[in-house]
Amino acid sequence: MSSEQRKAFPFSEFEPKWQGEWEAKKAFRTPNPGDADFDASKPKYFVLDMFPYPSGNGLHVGHPEGYTATDIIGRFKKMSGFNVLHPMGWDAFGLPAEQYAIKTGTHPRVTTEANVANFTKQLKSLGFAYDWDREVNTTDPGYFKWTQWIFLKLYNSYVGDDGKAHPVSELEDQGLSREEIDHRRLAYVSEAPVNWCPQLGTVLANEEVVDGKSEVGGFPVERRPMRQWMLRITAYAQRLIDELDGLDWPESIKLLQRNWIGRSEGAHVTFKVDGIDETITVFTTRPDTLFGATYMVLAPEHRLVDEITTEEQLAAVEEYREKTARKSDLERTELAKEKSGVFTGAYAINPVNNERIPIWIADYVLMGYGTGAIMAVPAHDERDFEFAKKFELPIKQVVQPPEGHDWQGYTDNGIAVNSGFLDGLPTLEAKHKIAAWLEEKGLGKGTTNFKLRDWLFSRQRYWGEPFPIVWEDGQHRSIPESELPLLPPTLEDFKPTGTPEPPLSKATGWVQYSATAKRELNTMPQWAGSCWYYLRYCDARNSERFVGEAAEKYWMGGGKPGGVDLYVGGTEHAVLHLLYARFWHKVLFDLGYVSTPEPFQRLVNQGLILGEDGQKMSKSRGNVVNPDDVVREYGADALRLYEMFMGPLEQVKPWSMKGVEGVYRFLARVWRLVMEQNEEGSWSVSAALQDVPANKQLTKALHETIKKCGEDIEKLSFNTAISQMMVCTNAFTGAEVKPASAIVTFLKVLSPFAPHLAEELNQQIRARFPALAAPGFLSDETWPAYDPAALIEDEVEVVFQVNGKLRDKARVPVAASKEEIEKIALASPRVQEFMEGRPVKKVIVVPGKLVNVVV
RNA sequence: GCCGAUGUGGUGAAAUGGUAAACACAGCGGACUUAAAAUCCGCUGGAGGGCAACCUCCUUGCGGGUUCGAGUCCCGCCAUCGGCACCA
């Protein structure tokens, strides 16, 4: 109790109280279309946070940053007459729980449940207005049933000539063979080389490999060919670029995605191999430089290497190929500074001039991009230039750069030279002409290439969604939807097998689907569950469908490309999660299951919160701030308010406990506007609080605050909204008599930010002035309207400048005309002094603002 | 190397092309108190001048430009952070 007395206001009593009230009365339950209390006349607002992975460490202060922002928006929109969908859930599959299981034998489900319970308790202690009835958990069979169901949709779909997903049954109707169909599925099996990490005992996606090491743990990663499930995201590459246009996302994030997808326009050109009946097709973005191709390079893995290598070069080529195959990605990039390669002994014929050019292999050409073969134009490509210098290959100029540039290694546009019929043409025209020429001769054609690769979708793990697939006679097939959800087997031993064989192989009974069929042993990656969770929120308890049609139409509709009105989360998901979710959404859209082409209309990335030392928070630095401690010391409202007051939401900013104290003091000042303490230390409604109208000055402060806070919340400029509330509070603090109804209005404005304090004070005021306070929750009140008339003053201060420098100010009537103001300004002794008798050249008058006299 | 973001007091920051530094933090001074904490009131970008109320000059990473007027717009640099990195 003694520590209670040190508190400036009794937040530790009323915060849990209001959390209990909200929960008991389901204050933030959001009815769905079809529910008895659903009001279809209201517009909808779907505000979403990136749901957390419930780790064993609990919340860190970064979580409540975005969550508070969305909570303020959600509460504000609710008060502004919207049906607000503001849910929370758990992205709970994933490696940490599994690794913990390996260490301790505790089942991941047990760990996950405990962590979810802890996170829930923590989030509830912050007073977020979630509709907990819509909570989702990716590891819940009722949820992943539908993740598996969506996988089956991908498995049973292909992309047609119209660029849209269609059921593969259409291909069956067209009489395509089983094999042909398998080649077109959006979920398909591939033998491609993958990133195998021996320590983790799993294959990783390219995105999970950083600098040749695993993102988790930093273990070395090798390349090895393995049978994997892939998702054909590349079929959507163009749409994933194009359909960014209609979204309200930061341009920098759109750019990040566009670059990741990496569209580039160019041409395929086919070269004959000299002496044998083979051709090699290359992809180039600079077909205009074809005359400058002095050699050709194949990726070491290119299938034609065996065919074309001459006897004399065989040994060298074999050695080089083995060396590259052994190299990890890390080594391959590390050695990138120094080019390497081997001559195959073969020559290709340049189709434009019939020149014989040597064919090399080199690991700077990647098998996974384009055709895995390039024509090398060393004069106008940096990499080819480097390679040619190292191996003393000829360098031939075919582009004339503008004055002042060396042609050697010049890669920009210029004028074609030494290029036969292209000579004299600027690069762009030369590209068109050569493309037409190639097409006419049947030697090539214009093509578009993407950097984006198909999505490696299988993992050799236990704690993930099992694939609803079985294998029989070397062929895969889906299990019937009626068998979903397919639960993972119960395992005692979670250790990786140490071979690429997934841990599910240990569940021998589970594996055996029938006498002749075995289950797929891979599981889905963590991304799977987060690809569609926002849809499940719309109708989280539906057991008939992944989301009910009416609910999806209402919450995801609204006439914009994206369904979620606001999505807040960290930049770390700028590419992968957002790209994957967009891809799945488009497939579901094409198949008619959702009503918008995009999932997220408006995206905002919150900035990282650093430690007090300005460094990234980490256990090893000892600068981690635990939100539970802040709540205990200063209360949930202070934490919420501080996180928003620190600075712009998008910005990276350091934590400051002093700053928390600052907003805490502000909240205490608000408390004392209403409450006073007697000598025993107990609080009661202050005698200064009276049922009187606010004077003109307070009314103005209040209405300015209503206006600015409303506008700032829409802009997510919470820091400036809070400073305006501070200004308003300071004005009220200075008043002898506190007008009760004005304070109630102020509390409504404060309530989205500091909901506990606002509700408590409203209740206290209601006890004294029943007619003035809100009868129920402030969150059920309407956001106050401001009176523009209250903002207008009779007089405004006008600044007088001479030659742009501030020289004097005066208060003038608002209604004063330009001429009147100018007259007052010119009459000012200070203005005259600085005019020094020089003649007036020009006078600029901005009514209500300033006068600038130019002499 | 390429792409993007950021750069304003001692600190976090604020400013539709129109009074730079609102609002806070820290600091200093005062009131209350036996005292301290808490609270309340005031001062607080830099340099110079004046007994004083005040006054002058300078100041938004650096250098140019547009404009009556630039933290804000344009051009060129520098620094920090983030992303990508042989993608032909």
Side-chain angles (χ1 to χ4, degrees), chain A residues 592-607:
Chain A
Y593 290 107
V594 297
S595 44
T596 61
E598 285 283 338
F600 315 118
Q601 183 59 33
R602 182 180 178 199
L603 173 75
V604 173
N605 291 116
Q606 89 257 28

Side-chain angles (χ1 to χ4, degrees), chain A residues 107-178:
Chain A
H107 194 282
R109 183 163 298 286
V110 174
T111 317
T112 302
E113 270 170 25
N115 291 350
V116 164
N118 183 40
F119 264 66
T120 305
K121 192 182 107 237
Q122 287 186 301
L123 288 180
K124 285 187 175 170
S125 81
L126 294 175
F128 294 129
Y130 297 130
D131 179 356
W132 284 104
D133 289 353
R134 294 172 183 265
E135 178 179 358
V136 303
N137 183 329
T138 55
T139 66
D140 178 351
Y143 181 90
F144 69 70
K145 168 182 179 177
W146 300 108
T147 310
Q148 292 168 331
W149 178 85
I150 295 171
F151 175 82
L152 289 183
K153 294 297 146 200
L154 290 155
Y155 178 78
N156 286 315
S157 301
Y158 76 102
V159 168
D161 296 334
D162 58 357
K164 292 180 181 156
H166 297 266
V168 290
S169 57
E170 290 179 12
L171 296 177
E172 284 161 15
D173 296 345
Q174 288 167 32
L176 265 70
S177 71
R178 168 70 207 250

Side-chain angles (χ1 to χ4, degrees), chain A residues 378-380 395-401 405-411:
Chain A
H380 308 295
I395 300 169
K396 182 181 160 195
Q397 180 188 11
V398 287
V399 177
Q400 182 63 50
H405 290 86
D406 188 4
W407 64 266
Q408 297 216 20
Y410 178 81
T411 57

Side-chain angles (χ1 to χ4, degrees), chain A residues 195 204-215 219 221 329:
Chain A
N195 306 299
L204 301 169
N206 289 332
E207 305 87 64
E208 291 169 311
V209 181
V210 179
D211 291 336
K213 288 189 228 142
S214 62
E215 194 183 11
F219 303 117
V221 174
D329 269 10

